[in-house]
Amino acid sequence: MPNRAIIIGTGSALPSRLLTNRDLEAMVETSDEWIKTRTGIEQRYIVGEGETNSFLATRAAKNALEMAGVRPQELDLIIVGTLTPDTPMPSVACLVQKELGAKKAGAFDLSATCSGFIYGLSIADKFIRDNRKMKILVIGSEVLSRRVNWTDRTTCVLFGDGAGAAVVTGTKEDRGILSTHLHADGALGDLLTIKGLGTAHPVTMEMLELGWQYIQMQGREVFKHAVKALESVAWEALNANGWTTDQVDLLIAHQANMRILDFLREKLGLTTDKVFINIHKYGNTSAASIPIALDEANRSRLLLPGSKLLMVAFGGGFTWGSLAMRW
Ligand code: COA
């Protein structure tokens, strides 16, 4: 048997402030009804005083390490998928490494938006295929509330903050990560973007007046591309492993919109119990959405030894990808 990467612990963390659709009604011209029917979202959590991306990421990491029975000093690598780091430098991964005291670990952030966790797991998988003794912490963590224009109803109702983590190591057994497929299309990047605050458009009065410090999205266009890409990458994973859809025990897809999840379920012919949903509780948490869902599915024993798990993600860039594994 070749080396295979397995997940031996999962964890998640949410910030302290609950923001319901009713709360948003008092902030912008919207309604609980509109948000629920168009997106499935009922509430989301956002950071309060003293809560940062690395704070959430560290909490999620500690939960995952505890479940795995792995000490921070045993970690070889920390990968954090995020588009909302505390600072450009140091990376969130380095801040987590410091907080955990993971002295031996290399650490880096990965920029693949909502696909960050899948991209991160696929990198971990490659390391572990070479050396199954390695222990790698993969995190998706976001503070999108600091990149949202709270006066723009077309975006501010969609996003939330949070973090999720997984401890990955290797086995010789016939289980674990079976395939990963990564894709991108930079030509469509303008449909979902934060134009400012990078080095191309640093902070100037003009940039701030244009609102380029905020997430800007052409929702309908993004929706169309998301459903197509998610469906095609799901089939790619199924075909690569010779799986039929009725063999899938659980689909964890990026939680961006309930209508996207329903569309995907119908296209793949899956029953509702096979599609994990938590978007109503957390909104779209970008790179954190899949690892939070994975942790919830794992802790509620929806994943049992041998379960066939398919994960699919799509996000700004555009980026998208899939991962198939036997739990
Ligand atoms: N409350 C009330 N009305 C709103 C609103 C809100 N929060 N946001 C937009 N509207 C209005 C629009 O102004 C528009 O009004 P008009 O018809 O008078 O012009 C109407 O609702 C419909 O807007 P539209 O943008 O066409 O709605 P939609 O059905 O496409 O839903 C999204 C909008 C954003 C929920 C949807 O497009 C979506 O989920 N897109 C994909 C998002 C995504 O997945 N992003 C992340 C990928 S990682």
Side-chain angles (χ1 to χ4, degrees):
M1 265 295 144
N3 294 336
R4 284 221 194 280
I6 49 171
I7 292 176
I8 55 169
T10 58
S12 54
L14 293 158
S16 57
R17 282 181 64 195
L18 175 67
L19 190 69
T20 65
N21 290 352
R22 293 269 177 230
D23 296 329
L24 283 165
E25 286 178 354
M27 295 162 64
V28 285
E29 187 67 37
T30 192
S31 67
D32 176 47
E33 180 59 22
W34 192 96
I35 302 170
K36 274 202 300 226
T37 47
R38 298 289 177 127
T39 71
I41 300 166
E42 295 170 14
Q43 59 174 47
R44 71 288 293 139
Y45 292 87
I46 63 169
V47 291
E49 190 82 15
E51 293 175 324
T52 58
N53 184 321
S54 62
F55 167 82
L56 296 173
T58 303
R59 268 180 44 206
K62 284 182 177 166
N63 292 338
L65 288 165
E66 190 185 340
M67 185 192 282
V70 168
R71 287 176 296 117
Q73 298 82 344
E74 295 175 62
L75 289 172
D76 297 291
L77 188 61
I78 300 172
I79 304 172
V80 179
T82 188
L83 69 107
T84 52
D86 299 30
T87 52
M89 184 169 67
S91 64
V92 176
C94 282
L95 296 171
V96 170
Q97 190 247 9
K98 175 187 77 172
E99 286 303 316
L100 293 177
K103 294 235 182 300
K104 182 171 81 146
F108 66 93
D109 285 2
L110 178 163
S111 174
T113 65
C114 309
S115 312
F117 185 70
I118 299 291
Y119 270 60
L121 280 182
S122 97
I123 294 168
D125 179 44
K126 303 296 175 276
F127 273 105
I128 282 165
R129 280 171 192 259
D130 271 355
N131 176 1
R132 74 173 190 281
K133 303 264 185 250
M134 284 185 81
K135 293 190 171 64
I136 303 179
L137 182 61
V138 182
I139 301 173
S141 184
E142 301 286 8
V143 178
L144 294 161
S145 62
R146 295 270 160 82
R147 285 286 173 272
V148 159
N149 178 353
W150 289 103
T151 66
D152 174 9
R153 69 176 183 172
T154 67
T155 51
C156 77
V157 303
L158 304 173
F159 299 101
D161 303 336
V167 179
V168 185
T169 188
T171 183
K172 281 270 179 206
E173 293 167 23
D174 185 19
R175 62 192 177 99
I177 297 176
L178 303 173
S179 69
T180 59
H181 291 94
L182 307 183
H183 298 279
D185 188 352
L188 298 169
D190 279 347
L191 296 176
L192 176 51
T193 174
I194 301 173
K195 287 198 173 134
L197 299 184
T199 50
H201 301 289
V203 182
T204 58
M205 280 314 290
E206 194 193 359
M207 188 282 278
L208 295 174
E209 274 158 20
L210 287 166
W212 285 4
Q213 68 275 38
Y214 299 126
I215 295 173
Q216 295 183 333
M217 179 171 69
Q218 294 179 38
R220 271 196 185 180
E221 285 305 306
V222 174
F223 192 102
K224 280 190 237 160
H225 288 286
V227 290
K228 251 193 270 163
L230 286 167
E231 189 198 346
S232 101
V233 84
W235 285 118
E236 188 178 26
L238 291 167
N239 293 337
N241 292 290
W243 290 0
T244 56
T245 50
D246 55 4
Q247 287 178 311
V248 173
D249 293 301
L250 194 66
L251 172 72
I252 296 181
H254 171 49
Q255 309 280 305
N257 184 314
M258 190 61 210
R259 288 186 293 144
I260 295 177
L261 296 167
D262 281 340
F263 178 93
L264 194 57
R265 177 175 52 72
E266 278 165 27
K267 284 286 181 187
L268 297 177
L270 294 171
T271 48
T272 47
D273 57 313
K274 296 216 172 156
V275 182
F276 191 85
I277 307 285
N278 64 9
I279 187 168
H280 53 292
K281 295 191 283 184
Y282 310 127
N284 179 348
T285 57
S286 190
S289 114
I290 290 183
I292 292 173
L294 181 68
D295 184 44
E296 289 194 348
N298 191 19
R299 284 175 196 267
S300 52
R301 300 196 53 75
L302 289 174
L303 292 167
L304 298 170
S307 292
K308 287 195 172 82
L309 169 66
L310 176 61
M311 300 196 265
V312 291
F314 177 87
F318 289 153
T319 63
W320 64 101
S322 69
L323 185 148
M325 70 183 294
R326 192 152 339 118
W327 197 252

